[in-house]
Amino acid sequence: MPWPGCRLRTRSSGARPGDVLTSWLNPTSLLGGVLAVVTCAHLAAVYLCADAHREGREELAAAFTRDAVISGLAAGVVALAGIAVLHADAPTCSTG
């Protein structure tokens, strides 16, 4: 049974199920992976900022706040770029 991301791409873009290479290496799957990593980096920065603030380490909290803002902006850019990726690679996902 293929992973959900591969199944989504297979159903939405008409790719052949069972083709291992193109099931994993395609724009939709790469978008999902990059978006997951950027989102986790953002959450880590937010949680570390809260921990540093709670411990009274304001200089560290300020650094993590900056990291959280940067990673949040990066996640937004990736999500917006994902609209174009989904429109081109998986039109069923972008149109509904």
Side-chain angles (χ1 to χ4, degrees), residues 9-29:
R9 194 222 181 233
T10 299
R11 289 183 181 173
S12 63
S13 65
R16 273 188 19 224
D19 189 359
V20 176
L21 189 59
T22 58
S23 293
W24 286 100
L25 297 177
N26 59 70
T28 304
S29 297

Side-chain angles (χ1 to χ4, degrees), residues 16-83:
R16 273 188 19 224
D19 189 359
V20 176
L21 189 59
T22 58
S23 293
W24 286 100
L25 297 177
N26 59 70
T28 304
S29 297
L30 294 176
L31 169 69
V34 170
L35 192 56
V37 169
V38 174
T39 302
C40 289
H42 177 68
L43 287 174
V46 169
Y47 292 149
L48 286 169
C49 177
D51 287 345
H53 184 67
R54 187 173 42 248
E55 294 291 324
R57 302 189 61 189
E58 297 304 323
E59 69 285 345
L60 196 56
F64 285 131
T65 299
R66 186 194 70 237
D67 293 344
V69 169
I70 292 170
S71 62
L73 290 172
V77 168
V78 171
L80 287 175
I83 294 170

